[in-house]
């Protein structure tokens, strides 16, 4: 499937360029590439990167077609086991997310996401940027016309995990969280540090409810993650969610705590 999508990108690029009456040389000048580089891209001898396709969309006035196809190709590269969860996330009417150590991915800023992903020293710079782009693309569900209701629970410790070099990035991230909860479909609740032990510390997970009322879950781990769809396992996650949520502060108090964390740094 991935190869088919990549080939479709090349074919559409070639068709759009020709329909615009542009030679490879002329098109290259507009997108700041050489004619030979454009030829290599269209023949599949060189991969098309995000910068090139974004510029090509602008020059050819495609309405974002090429970038949309690239997003499809990037999602196709996700492991087979993850694709059902990505589909469930895209179609969810409700999302419930808990993470004991990090800000959940759907609420991360680009800089925070990049720092978290870059912590894996096995990834190349190019792979880091691809993963950041995919994470940000997944956040688009929160900005659609009928977004899902997202309720996230995080730990106070995740807000306070800073050093001198990380503080500006975290201030940006917490500001983003506060802006998110001003939207009617997003709630963020903080478990205060004095709650030292609870069932959620066993690990992060997310629950998604579709339009028919069915739930599926997703467990994050060191190897990526595991979708959960067995009824008894989903029921266990829902029960644990209720327990975790009961430990967290109400939204208004959570916002005050987030602001207090930032104030404490100055």
């Amino acid at each position: 499937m991935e190869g088919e999508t990549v080939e479709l990108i090349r074919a559409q690029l070639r068709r759009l360029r020709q329909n615009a009456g542009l030679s490879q040389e002329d098109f290259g000048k507009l997108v700041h590439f050489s004619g030979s580089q454009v030829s290599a891209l269209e023949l599949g001898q060189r991969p098309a990167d995000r910068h090139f396709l974004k510029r090509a969309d602008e020059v050819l006035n495609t309405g974002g077609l090429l970038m949309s196809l690239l997003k499809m190709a990037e999602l196709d590269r996700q492991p087979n086991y993850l694709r059902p969860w990505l589909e469930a996330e895209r179609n969810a009417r409700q999302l419930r997310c808990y993470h004991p150590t990090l800000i959940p991915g759907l609420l991360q800023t680009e800089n925070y996401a990049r720092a978290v992903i870059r912590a894996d020293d096995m990834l190349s710079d190019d792979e880091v940027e691809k993963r950041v782009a995919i994470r940000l693309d997944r956040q688009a569900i929160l900005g659609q016309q009928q977004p899902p209701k997202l309720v996230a629970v995080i730990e106070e410790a995740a807000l306070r995990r800073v050093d001198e070099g990380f503080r500006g990035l975290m201030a940006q991230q917490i500001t983003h969280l506060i802006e998110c909860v001003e939207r009617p479909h997003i709630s963020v609740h903080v478990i205060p540090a004095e709650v030292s032990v609870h069932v959620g510390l066993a690990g992060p997970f997310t629950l998604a409810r579709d339009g028919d009322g069915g739930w599926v879950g997703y467990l994050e781990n060191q190897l990526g993650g595991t979708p959960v769809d067995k009824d008894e396992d989903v029921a266990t996650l829902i029960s644990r969610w209720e327990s975790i949520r009961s430990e967290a502060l109400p939204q208004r108090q959570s916002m005050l705590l987030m602001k207090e964390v930032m104030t404490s740094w100055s």
Side-chain angles (χ1 to χ4, degrees), residues 12-245:
Q12 290 293 335
L13 174 63
R14 186 165 49 248
R15 179 185 66 82
L16 291 163
R17 175 184 60 76
Q18 291 173 342
N19 287 350
L22 295 170
S23 68
Q24 291 178 335
E25 195 70 34
D26 290 339
F27 178 65
K29 291 176 182 177
L30 294 172
V31 293
H32 312 304
F33 272 57
S34 68
S36 60
Q37 287 174 316
V38 173
S39 175
L41 285 160
E42 292 185 356
L43 292 173
Q45 298 168 348
R46 173 186 176 129
D49 61 26
R50 301 181 70 83
H51 174 75
F52 172 82
L53 292 179
K54 183 177 181 181
R55 180 65 180 153
D57 274 332
E58 294 169 353
V59 168
L60 297 170
N61 194 27
T62 69
L65 172 64
L66 297 173
M67 282 297 294
S68 295
L69 291 172
L70 178 62
K71 291 174 185 178
M72 288 174 58
E74 289 173 338
L75 288 175
D76 288 340
R77 283 198 292 268
Q78 296 299 309
N80 287 334
Y81 70 83
L82 183 58
R83 291 178 191 172
W85 168 252
L86 294 177
E87 186 68 19
E89 185 180 71
R90 284 196 297 268
N91 295 324
R93 303 314 311 141
Q94 292 184 35
L95 289 164
R96 298 176 179 177
C97 182
Y98 167 73
H99 207 299
T101 56
L102 297 171
I103 307 302
L106 288 176
L107 297 173
Q108 291 177 2
T109 64
E110 179 177 347
N111 289 334
Y112 183 95
R114 182 173 291 107
V116 170
I117 293 170
R118 187 172 280 153
D120 183 350
D121 58 10
M122 296 177 66
L123 300 178
S124 67
D125 288 346
D126 185 53
E127 183 61 29
V128 167
E129 292 306 314
K130 287 179 181 177
R131 295 195 181 195
V132 170
I134 290 172
R135 184 162 300 182
L136 296 178
D137 288 340
R138 287 170 66 182
Q139 295 177 4
I141 61 172
L142 299 177
Q144 60 192 14
Q145 190 170 9
Q146 291 185 309
K149 171 66 176 177
L150 170 64
V151 182
V153 175
I154 59 177
E155 299 283 338
E156 181 180 349
L159 300 174
R160 296 189 184 276
R161 179 171 285 116
V162 296
D163 56 29
E164 288 302 321
F166 202 56
R167 188 163 292 175
L169 184 152
M170 277 305 300
Q172 181 188 56
Q173 175 62 70
I174 295 176
T175 298
H176 177 66
L177 283 178
I178 293 171
E179 292 171 348
C180 284
V181 300
E182 292 174 348
R183 301 158 74 178
H185 59 285
I186 299 176
S187 300
V188 177
H189 302 271
V190 180
I191 297 179
E194 56 261 29
V195 181
S196 56
V197 178
H198 61 83
V199 69
L201 297 179
F205 65 92
T206 303
L207 287 159
R209 180 180 182 273
D210 62 24
D212 296 325
W215 289 93
V216 294
Y218 181 71
L219 303 175
E220 295 185 43
N221 57 53
Q222 287 285 343
L223 297 179
T226 304
V228 177
D229 57 10
K230 291 184 179 179
D231 289 346
E232 59 269 33
D233 293 338
V234 171
T236 296
L237 288 180
I238 291 174
S239 175
R240 293 191 177 180
W241 165 263
E242 296 298 335
S243 177
I244 292 165
R245 175 65 187 84

